[in-house]
Amino acid sequence: MSDSNEGDLRVIIADPLLPDGIETLRAAPGLVVEDHTESDRETLRGALEGASALIVRSRTKVTPDLIESADRLRVVGRAGVGVDNIDIPAATRRGIAVLNAPAANTQSTAELAFALLLAAARRITEADASIRAGEWKRKELRGIQLSGKTLGVIGLGRIGAEVVWRARAFGMRVVAHDPFVSADRASDLGVELASLEELLPTCHAITLHVPLSDENRGFIGSKELKAMRPGSILVNAARGGLVDEPALAEALASGHLGAAGLDVFETEPLPEDSPLRDAPQLVFSPHLGASTYEAQRQVSRQIAVAVRDALVKGDYSAALNAPFEAEDRDGAGPIMGLGYRLGRLLAGLQDTPPGRIDVRYGGPQDGVLGPLAASVAVGFLERRVDPPLNVVNALSIAAERGLEIVRVRTQAVGDYTNYVELSAASGRAGGMVVGGALMGARMEPRIVRVGTFRVDTQPLGTCLFIRNRDRPGVIGAVGTVLGEANANIAEYHLARRRGGGRSLGVVRIDGEVPPEVLRGLSELDGIDEVRQIHFD
């Protein structure tokens, strides 16, 4: 099923994706797309051997055993918002980025949630069935108007916020519960924040817009349903499993709840013996939140771009399991690159395994310490652990090895507007300190500190770090040995604290030199130590 060449990155499509997304992937250099939407699980498992990416919707379950069969997998993309069909901890341990398309179906899902609310409030499905049965039940099907009522919105993410705007347009008062939303954000949306205990008994209708996790499964159970206002409406167009379905059926049957609207269910399709099937005043839809052409087109395009950028550009900013928020990555690329190279430098100069690395950043960028720390961990551990290793799993692997990465925000240092410093520590003993900065409008990386020496060199290619006594002839002798080894010197920087004392030479060379040349350099008169560091 593949026309791939050696070196191509294979992308496996396990669930249907619209042409917009497929064409985006196929247009990227080095990517080969394979359609396995009709494959059984064993065939899919075989196709994942050697594949770089897997794209799914809600049908395919990405379980630990499936992940283990994918020896080179770097990315799992979910064409949608919810990722409860993907074992994120298992993916993270393997360094596999889990991506989704969080904004693409926002409008469509918000519209459906409000449609369920309207249908439940005005008993639309009952009215439709009544007319089709030859009846005309105007008095029996009296509903309620939304204007002037209070809507409780649980979860003020993208979809929750869109529901708020629609509710306000209908003249509703909105009370919201979201422990991660600030008072300023609530004020911008025109909502009142409340605890769950305060919200439940005061609202005429409640709509859920939170993700599903092990912690919030059954989030609305018997206790919460009993606390809701008598005659109120519950809407769930978020994730199945958030609502205790037998308890909801009982609350509707007893008349305590006036109505409910559900688009998602704990088991899909809804089992024939589900108590919800016989519950009164319940409006169903079969998980249609993102089922509009517009949403599907945007979802396909968005996940394709995220997968493409991760594979081709190494951009993991959309990864849900990266050790930092996606928005924190914005503008952090050059700083992350500098952190990676400083991590490599520290690994090459630090002899004893440290128990802690302090990562200090002084500069104007906010929110960069997380991605910076992850990049430092990658650079430091890259030659010490078996792959895979990337910004997704580097911090967790560091923790497993007993290495603490401490993040410190400091003031800018000297004339450097973006300064990064790493210091290693083992027990109470201090270790090596290295520092770097981004220079100029192009933010070019520079190494500016090695131990107690002030230097100024580019962390590119291969560099030799030579500790020597400051005496005449040393530089010439180094040049002679490298010349005889056909090693071309691109840059030679000498740092010293005082004449005649100790000095540090940083020699950037094309290619690299073999161990015997390093030994020859270290045996030169006046040379104390030579280290070869590869930055790329």
Side-chain angles (χ1 to χ4, degrees), residues 186-426:
S187 177
D188 290 342
L189 290 171
V191 306
E192 306 166 36
L193 289 177
S195 67
L196 186 63
E197 292 73 18
E198 294 169 333
L199 180 147
L200 292 173
T202 60
C203 296
H204 298 89
I206 292 173
T207 179
L208 304 179
H209 301 286
V210 296
L212 178 67
S213 65
D214 290 338
E215 290 74 22
N216 67 4
R217 188 172 294 276
F219 180 70
I220 299 296
S222 178
K223 175 184 175 183
E224 289 75 21
L225 291 166
K226 289 177 181 177
M228 288 177 63
R229 183 187 185 114
S232 59
I233 300 169
L234 178 67
V235 172
N236 183 17
R239 305 303 297 172
L242 289 173
V243 177
D244 182 327
E245 293 176 356
L248 174 60
E250 182 180 340
L252 289 168
S254 69
H256 175 66
L257 283 193
L262 298 179
D263 182 52
V264 290
F265 307 90
E266 187 165 8
T267 300
E268 297 180 358
L270 187 66
E272 291 186 6
D273 60 351
S274 170
L276 293 175
R277 289 186 178 275
D278 296 323
Q281 314 294 346
L282 180 52
V283 180
F284 290 122
S285 59
H287 206 146
L288 298 179
S291 294
T292 64
Y293 180 78
E294 295 83 357
Q296 291 303 297
R297 186 176 181 181
Q298 292 175 49
V299 163
S300 297
R301 166 72 178 164
Q302 189 177 101
I303 197 61
V305 168
V307 169
R308 178 200 67 191
D309 288 353
L311 294 181
V312 177
K313 303 178 183 178
D315 180 358
Y316 291 91
S317 61
L320 297 174
N321 54 341
F324 47 84
E325 297 296 329
E327 56 267 25
D328 290 348
R329 172 76 187 265
D330 294 343
I335 299 171
M336 292 176 72
L338 175 61
Y340 169 76
R341 288 171 169 79
L342 287 174
R344 282 207 141 186
L345 176 59
L346 186 64
L349 300 179
Q350 176 73 20
D351 289 322
T352 58
R356 190 185 77 208
I357 296 176
D358 290 346
V359 179
R360 293 182 172 84
Y361 169 71
Q365 293 278 6
D366 292 323
V368 300
L369 273 172
L372 172 60
S375 299
V376 167
V378 172
F380 186 80
L381 293 172
E382 200 161 41
R383 300 204 170 193
R384 298 173 182 236
V385 302
D386 293 329
L389 178 74
N390 54 33
V391 295
V392 170
N393 64 355
L395 290 179
S396 62
I397 288 177
E400 289 173 2
R401 295 171 64 91
L403 175 60
E404 182 183 9
I405 308 290
V406 179
R407 313 170 195 182
V408 182
R409 183 71 183 267
T410 68
Q411 299 297 320
V413 175
D415 295 330
Y416 304 128
T417 54
N418 282 285
Y419 178 75
V420 177
E421 184 177 281
L422 312 182
S423 57
S426 180

Side-chain angles (χ1 to χ4, degrees), residues 34-93:
E34 298 183 14
D35 184 354
H36 283 272
T37 55
E38 300 298 326
S39 298
D40 60 29
R41 194 164 180 85
E42 284 307 310
T43 303
L44 176 62
R45 190 190 309 276
L48 285 173
E49 293 182 11
S52 297
L54 169 66
I55 296 180
V56 302
R57 292 187 60 80
S58 57
R59 182 185 68 183
T60 299
K61 309 302 180 186
V62 185
T63 55
D65 65 300
L66 195 66
I67 289 171
E68 286 302 318
S69 67
D71 52 340
R72 295 186 182 179
L73 200 63
R74 291 161 53 184
V75 171
V76 174
R78 163 70 161 92
V81 179
V83 290
D84 45 289
N85 60 318
I86 301 172
D87 192 315
I88 293 181
T92 302
R93 283 191 294 273

Side-chain angles (χ1 to χ4, degrees), residues 24 53 147 189 217 280 428 507 512:
T24 296
S147 178
L189 290 171
R217 188 172 294 276
R428 294 185 178 181
V507 186
E512 61 180 279

Side-chain angles (χ1 to χ4, degrees), residues 13 15 149:
I13 309 293
D15 298 334
K149 300 298 189 298

